[in-house]
Amino acid sequence: MIASVTGTAQHVGLDRVVVDVHGVGLLVHTPPAVAAGCRTGAAVELATSMVVREDSMTLYGFAEASERDTFDLAQTVTGVGPRVAMALLSVLSPQELAAAVAAGIDGCDRAAGRG
């Protein structure tokens, strides 16, 4: 698995960054706040989580290892995959999300103001 990526931001989108690592461009999906902190041509270092499925390998990146760990923890909740975990991290801090996972999925609804 790929635990981190360090290189140059080749392209920055709303929720993704292409990181050039010695001539290889890696597409890394990120929370919008992480992408907003990256600049094309600037050095970037992301903690990453690689999700391998039958038909794809997707790399998710975070500013801090604690965010990555919370992303991985959120996916242990039944029905929460990487896209939902990423969406939750886009509106909740890692601490809020970890507390919501500990409280159960209903806690996620309450923490996000939906319940």
Side-chain angles (χ1 to χ4, degrees), residues 8-115:
T8 303
Q10 193 174 45
H11 170 77
V12 178
L14 293 175
D15 61 353
R16 63 191 67 209
V17 178
V18 176
V19 182
D20 182 308
V21 180
H22 300 291
V24 177
L26 301 174
L27 174 63
V28 184
H29 297 271
T30 66
V34 172
C38 296
R39 299 289 176 255
T40 301
V44 64
E45 182 176 348
L46 300 171
T48 59
S49 179
M50 183 176 213
V51 176
V52 178
R53 301 274 192 236
E54 183 176 309
D55 60 344
S56 69
M57 292 189 299
T58 307
L59 201 55
Y60 295 89
F62 307 91
E64 302 290 333
S66 61
E67 292 175 324
R68 177 201 53 218
D69 296 343
T70 305
F71 171 80
D72 291 337
L73 175 66
Q75 292 177 77
T76 65
V77 175
T78 302
V80 176
R83 286 192 174 124
V84 172
M86 186 63 75
L88 289 169
L89 270 174
S90 295
V91 296
L92 300 173
S93 72
Q95 297 79 13
E96 291 171 325
L97 182 53
V101 169
I105 197 67
D106 289 337
C108 288
D109 289 337
R110 282 195 298 280
R114 294 187 298 263

